[in-house]
Amino acid sequence: MVPSLDPGSILVTVGIAVGAAVAGLLTGYLLGRRRKTGDGPAAAPLPGVPADTALTILREFLRNATGPVAVKDLNGRFVLTNDKFAEIHGLTPEQLAGTEIAALYPPEKVRFFQEQDRRMLAAGATTQNEVRATRRDGTAMDLLTTRFPIRDDTGAMFAIGTINTDIGALKAVEAELRAHRDNLEAVVAQRTDELRQINAQKDRFFSIVAHDLRGPFNSILGFSAILMERADRADPEKLKLFATHIHESSKTLFDLLNNLLDWSRLQMNAVSFHTTTLSVSAVVAEAIGQCRRDADAKDIAIEAGIEPALEVVADQTALVTVLRNAVVNAVKFSPPGGRIRVGAVATGGRTEIEIADDGIGMDAETLAGLFDLSRRNTRPGTLGESGTGLGLYICRELVERQDGILRIHSTPDAGTVVRIVLPAPAAGPEAAAPARAPAEAQ
């Protein structure tokens, strides 16, 4: 793993190194001044370097330093500054000489600088801190201040040097990196939450399947055991009844296993969609044909009024599955003698297929949890028909995998309307999938 580089740490290291170099130059210069004034022991400005040369080196360094440089005595009076430091205050280095910091900064800044000076003097070594400075024109600048002690030949500290480095660009980079980090953390949190939800749905799905498998199996095992024991002496009508129960339980079990297979294949992306242009009326007729027996058993009329020329772009098998499920649900929750209407219309580069019934409908709470596997969404039909509640959940995935949406509107005791919206042939840019409406089940 490649170690990360911290820009701040690099800058701190460089600042300390530069501070050490400047400390040597300033110490030599100031000691030279103290020697001339008799304030301290004599000393060469820099060992082995003539005084004039050392002074030239210091002058050039101060002139070319990239940031403000200043030296204060232990009483807080400026002894030496460069042009960049003086420009912040709109003065010259000569004008700043002998000026106390209290004359340049507001009280809170003075207290801050004095505290930093005390920390450095107590440590007796180089320290660093960040500070927000304000130029004379009112603009702000972020500085990294390297503060170091200046000592005489006896080791006594007699001045404080500061080198300031403009870290505005570094701050901008840090802010950008922080924003990228926060964005990445948000994406990771979102993905983690999505995975948690998927795992919860998976667990709930298998819980539903395990529960719903038990009922049909118990029925099949129970009635088949009775048949085994009483087949030779049972009333033919009872035999027929037992066979009917076994058949219905087997059908429920078969539907459940089909749902389980479809769902697992969708989760593993094992379902291949072969989208093509289809005749809506032909696909609807195929789906209705597969539901005709159940509808006839309840004397329910299914009306389909679709223009023969209307087409849709979809996978035929998947679309027939979705339409069949919608019609089966309409039959299941419609009273005997009810009516189901299937229609379709082309709008905005999309084809919308609608299945409407006049059945028992759903209240808002049931509708809101229709696709939530954490809720138990199974209800018996008008004649006690059973179901798993998984069909619509799977149908929505089948529709969405084909760039479509599935909407459901329902009113208690007034019926339910299922709308399936899919691309139409030769769809233009306006045919992009519309956003999901939050006020309805989809």
Short mmCIF file of all heavy atoms in Angstrom, two decimals, residues 231-260:
data_model
loop_
_atom_site.label_atom_id
_atom_site.label_comp_id
_atom_site.label_asym_id
_atom_site.label_seq_id
_atom_site.Cartn_x
_atom_site.Cartn_y
_atom_site.Cartn_z
N ALA A 231 -59.27 -44.26 0.69
CA ALA A 231 -59.61 -44.26 -0.74
C ALA A 231 -60.56 -45.39 -1.11
O ALA A 231 -61.45 -45.24 -1.95
CB ALA A 231 -58.34 -44.35 -1.57
N ASP A 232 -60.41 -46.56 -0.43
CA ASP A 232 -61.22 -47.72 -0.83
C ASP A 232 -62.65 -47.66 -0.28
O ASP A 232 -63.52 -48.41 -0.71
CB ASP A 232 -60.54 -49.01 -0.38
CG ASP A 232 -60.24 -49.00 1.11
OD1 ASP A 232 -60.30 -47.91 1.73
OD2 ASP A 232 -59.92 -50.07 1.66
N ARG A 233 -62.89 -46.78 0.69
CA ARG A 233 -64.22 -46.74 1.26
C ARG A 233 -64.81 -45.33 1.35
O ARG A 233 -65.91 -45.14 1.90
CB ARG A 233 -64.19 -47.36 2.66
CG ARG A 233 -63.30 -46.62 3.65
CD ARG A 233 -63.27 -47.35 5.00
NE ARG A 233 -62.51 -46.64 6.02
CZ ARG A 233 -61.22 -46.66 6.16
NH1 ARG A 233 -60.47 -47.37 5.31
NH2 ARG A 233 -60.62 -45.99 7.14
N ALA A 234 -64.11 -44.32 0.85
CA ALA A 234 -64.57 -42.94 0.96
C ALA A 234 -65.66 -42.63 -0.05
O ALA A 234 -65.72 -43.23 -1.14
CB ALA A 234 -63.40 -41.98 0.77
N ASP A 235 -66.51 -41.70 0.31
CA ASP A 235 -67.55 -41.18 -0.58
C ASP A 235 -66.88 -40.50 -1.77
O ASP A 235 -65.96 -39.71 -1.60
CB ASP A 235 -68.41 -40.18 0.20
CG ASP A 235 -69.58 -39.67 -0.62
OD1 ASP A 235 -69.50 -39.71 -1.86
OD2 ASP A 235 -70.57 -39.21 -0.01
N PRO A 236 -67.33 -40.79 -3.01
CA PRO A 236 -66.74 -40.15 -4.19
C PRO A 236 -66.72 -38.63 -4.11
O PRO A 236 -65.78 -37.98 -4.59
CB PRO A 236 -67.63 -40.64 -5.33
CG PRO A 236 -68.15 -41.95 -4.85
CD PRO A 236 -68.35 -41.78 -3.38
N GLU A 237 -67.74 -38.02 -3.51
CA GLU A 237 -67.77 -36.57 -3.39
C GLU A 237 -66.65 -36.08 -2.47
O GLU A 237 -66.02 -35.05 -2.73
CB GLU A 237 -69.12 -36.11 -2.85
CG GLU A 237 -70.26 -36.24 -3.85
CD GLU A 237 -70.00 -35.41 -5.10
OE1 GLU A 237 -69.49 -34.25 -4.95
OE2 GLU A 237 -70.26 -35.89 -6.21
N LYS A 238 -66.39 -36.84 -1.39
CA LYS A 238 -65.30 -36.47 -0.50
C LYS A 238 -63.95 -36.66 -1.19
O LYS A 238 -63.02 -35.86 -1.00
CB LYS A 238 -65.36 -37.30 0.78
CG LYS A 238 -66.47 -36.87 1.72
CD LYS A 238 -66.34 -37.55 3.06
CE LYS A 238 -67.40 -37.04 4.05
NZ LYS A 238 -67.26 -37.66 5.39
N LEU A 239 -63.84 -37.74 -1.95
CA LEU A 239 -62.60 -37.94 -2.71
C LEU A 239 -62.34 -36.78 -3.65
O LEU A 239 -61.21 -36.29 -3.79
CB LEU A 239 -62.67 -39.25 -3.50
CG LEU A 239 -62.61 -40.55 -2.70
CD1 LEU A 239 -62.78 -41.75 -3.62
CD2 LEU A 239 -61.28 -40.64 -1.94
N LYS A 240 -63.42 -36.33 -4.30
CA LYS A 240 -63.30 -35.19 -5.21
C LYS A 240 -62.87 -33.93 -4.45
O LYS A 240 -62.05 -33.15 -4.92
CB LYS A 240 -64.61 -34.96 -5.93
CG LYS A 240 -64.56 -33.84 -6.95
CD LYS A 240 -65.89 -33.71 -7.68
CE LYS A 240 -65.83 -32.57 -8.70
NZ LYS A 240 -67.12 -32.40 -9.42
N LEU A 241 -63.46 -33.75 -3.24
CA LEU A 241 -63.11 -32.58 -2.43
C LEU A 241 -61.65 -32.63 -2.01
O LEU A 241 -60.93 -31.62 -2.09
CB LEU A 241 -64.01 -32.54 -1.19
CG LEU A 241 -63.74 -31.40 -0.19
CD1 LEU A 241 -63.98 -30.05 -0.87
CD2 LEU A 241 -64.62 -31.55 1.05
N PHE A 242 -61.20 -33.82 -1.57
CA PHE A 242 -59.80 -33.96 -1.17
C PHE A 242 -58.87 -33.68 -2.36
O PHE A 242 -57.85 -33.00 -2.22
CB PHE A 242 -59.53 -35.36 -0.63
CG PHE A 242 -60.26 -35.66 0.65
CD1 PHE A 242 -60.51 -36.99 1.03
CD2 PHE A 242 -60.71 -34.65 1.48
CE1 PHE A 242 -61.17 -37.29 2.21
CE2 PHE A 242 -61.38 -34.94 2.66
CZ PHE A 242 -61.62 -36.26 3.02
N ALA A 243 -59.24 -34.21 -3.52
CA ALA A 243 -58.42 -33.99 -4.71
C ALA A 243 -58.38 -32.51 -5.08
O ALA A 243 -57.35 -31.99 -5.51
CB ALA A 243 -58.97 -34.81 -5.88
N THR A 244 -59.51 -31.83 -4.89
CA THR A 244 -59.56 -30.39 -5.17
C THR A 244 -58.62 -29.63 -4.25
O THR A 244 -57.88 -28.73 -4.69
CB THR A 244 -61.00 -29.86 -5.00
OG1 THR A 244 -61.86 -30.55 -5.91
CG2 THR A 244 -61.06 -28.36 -5.25
N HIS A 245 -58.62 -29.96 -2.96
CA HIS A 245 -57.72 -29.30 -2.01
C HIS A 245 -56.26 -29.55 -2.38
O HIS A 245 -55.42 -28.63 -2.31
CB HIS A 245 -57.99 -29.80 -0.58
CG HIS A 245 -59.25 -29.25 0.02
ND1 HIS A 245 -59.54 -27.90 0.04
CD2 HIS A 245 -60.30 -29.86 0.65
CE1 HIS A 245 -60.71 -27.69 0.64
NE2 HIS A 245 -61.20 -28.88 1.02
N ILE A 246 -55.97 -30.79 -2.73
CA ILE A 246 -54.60 -31.12 -3.12
C ILE A 246 -54.20 -30.34 -4.37
O ILE A 246 -53.07 -29.81 -4.45
CB ILE A 246 -54.45 -32.63 -3.35
CG1 ILE A 246 -54.60 -33.38 -2.02
CG2 ILE A 246 -53.11 -32.96 -4.00
CD1 ILE A 246 -54.61 -34.90 -2.16
N HIS A 247 -55.12 -30.24 -5.33
CA HIS A 247 -54.83 -29.51 -6.56
C HIS A 247 -54.58 -28.02 -6.27
O HIS A 247 -53.62 -27.42 -6.79
CB HIS A 247 -55.98 -29.67 -7.55
CG HIS A 247 -55.83 -28.80 -8.78
ND1 HIS A 247 -54.96 -29.11 -9.79
CD2 HIS A 247 -56.43 -27.62 -9.13
CE1 HIS A 247 -55.01 -28.18 -10.72
NE2 HIS A 247 -55.91 -27.27 -10.34
N GLU A 248 -55.44 -27.42 -5.45
CA GLU A 248 -55.29 -25.99 -5.14
C GLU A 248 -54.00 -25.74 -4.39
O GLU A 248 -53.29 -24.76 -4.66
CB GLU A 248 -56.49 -25.51 -4.33
CG GLU A 248 -57.79 -25.45 -5.13
CD GLU A 248 -58.97 -25.06 -4.28
OE1 GLU A 248 -58.80 -24.98 -3.03
OE2 GLU A 248 -60.06 -24.81 -4.83
N SER A 249 -53.68 -26.61 -3.43
CA SER A 249 -52.43 -26.44 -2.68
C SER A 249 -51.22 -26.62 -3.60
O SER A 249 -50.22 -25.91 -3.48
CB SER A 249 -52.36 -27.45 -1.53
OG SER A 249 -53.39 -27.20 -0.59
N SER A 250 -51.31 -27.58 -4.52
CA SER A 250 -50.21 -27.80 -5.47
C SER A 250 -50.03 -26.59 -6.38
O SER A 250 -48.90 -26.19 -6.69
CB SER A 250 -50.47 -29.06 -6.30
OG SER A 250 -50.57 -30.19 -5.48
N LYS A 251 -51.15 -26.00 -6.80
CA LYS A 251 -51.08 -24.82 -7.66
C LYS A 251 -50.45 -23.65 -6.91
O LYS A 251 -49.59 -22.93 -7.46
CB LYS A 251 -52.48 -24.45 -8.14
CG LYS A 251 -52.52 -23.27 -9.12
CD LYS A 251 -53.94 -23.03 -9.61
CE LYS A 251 -53.96 -21.87 -10.61
NZ LYS A 251 -53.51 -20.61 -10.01
N THR A 252 -50.87 -23.45 -5.65
CA THR A 252 -50.27 -22.38 -4.84
C THR A 252 -48.77 -22.61 -4.67
O THR A 252 -47.96 -21.68 -4.78
CB THR A 252 -50.94 -22.32 -3.46
OG1 THR A 252 -52.33 -22.04 -3.62
CG2 THR A 252 -50.31 -21.24 -2.58
N LEU A 253 -48.40 -23.85 -4.40
CA LEU A 253 -46.99 -24.20 -4.23
C LEU A 253 -46.22 -23.98 -5.51
O LEU A 253 -45.10 -23.44 -5.49
CB LEU A 253 -46.89 -25.65 -3.78
CG LEU A 253 -45.51 -26.17 -3.37
CD1 LEU A 253 -44.94 -25.35 -2.24
CD2 LEU A 253 -45.59 -27.64 -3.00
N PHE A 254 -46.81 -24.34 -6.64
CA PHE A 254 -46.16 -24.15 -7.93
C PHE A 254 -45.94 -22.67 -8.21
O PHE A 254 -44.86 -22.25 -8.66
CB PHE A 254 -47.01 -24.79 -9.02
CG PHE A 254 -46.43 -24.64 -10.40
CD1 PHE A 254 -45.35 -25.41 -10.81
CD2 PHE A 254 -46.96 -23.72 -11.31
CE1 PHE A 254 -44.80 -25.26 -12.07
CE2 PHE A 254 -46.43 -23.58 -12.57
CZ PHE A 254 -45.35 -24.34 -12.96
N ASP A 255 -46.97 -21.85 -7.93
CA ASP A 255 -46.84 -20.40 -8.15
C ASP A 255 -45.75 -19.82 -7.25
O ASP A 255 -44.96 -18.96 -7.68
CB ASP A 255 -48.16 -19.70 -7.86
CG ASP A 255 -49.23 -20.02 -8.90
OD1 ASP A 255 -48.86 -20.47 -10.00
OD2 ASP A 255 -50.43 -19.83 -8.61
N LEU A 256 -45.70 -20.28 -6.00
CA LEU A 256 -44.69 -19.78 -5.07
C LEU A 256 -43.29 -20.14 -5.54
O LEU A 256 -42.37 -19.31 -5.52
CB LEU A 256 -44.94 -20.35 -3.68
CG LEU A 256 -43.94 -19.96 -2.59
CD1 LEU A 256 -43.92 -18.45 -2.40
CD2 LEU A 256 -44.29 -20.65 -1.28
N LEU A 257 -43.11 -21.36 -5.98
CA LEU A 257 -41.79 -21.78 -6.46
C LEU A 257 -41.39 -21.02 -7.72
O LEU A 257 -40.22 -20.69 -7.91
CB LEU A 257 -41.78 -23.29 -6.72
CG LEU A 257 -41.88 -24.18 -5.48
CD1 LEU A 257 -41.98 -25.64 -5.87
CD2 LEU A 257 -40.67 -23.96 -4.57
N ASN A 258 -42.36 -20.75 -8.58
CA ASN A 258 -42.07 -19.94 -9.77
C ASN A 258 -41.62 -18.53 -9.36
O ASN A 258 -40.68 -17.97 -9.94
CB ASN A 258 -43.31 -19.84 -10.66
CG ASN A 258 -43.39 -21.00 -11.63
OD1 ASN A 258 -42.38 -21.63 -11.95
ND2 ASN A 258 -44.59 -21.31 -12.10
N ASN A 259 -42.32 -17.95 -8.38
CA ASN A 259 -41.93 -16.62 -7.89
C ASN A 259 -40.53 -16.64 -7.31
O ASN A 259 -39.72 -15.74 -7.54
CB ASN A 259 -42.92 -16.13 -6.83
CG ASN A 259 -44.22 -15.65 -7.43
OD1 ASN A 259 -44.28 -15.27 -8.60
ND2 ASN A 259 -45.28 -15.66 -6.63
N LEU A 260 -40.25 -17.67 -6.53
CA LEU A 260 -38.92 -17.81 -5.94
C LEU A 260 -37.85 -17.93 -7.01
O LEU A 260 -36.79 -17.29 -6.93
CB LEU A 260 -38.88 -19.03 -5.02
CG LEU A 260 -37.53 -19.35 -4.37
CD1 LEU A 260 -37.04 -18.18 -3.55
CD2 LEU A 260 -37.62 -20.61 -3.53
#
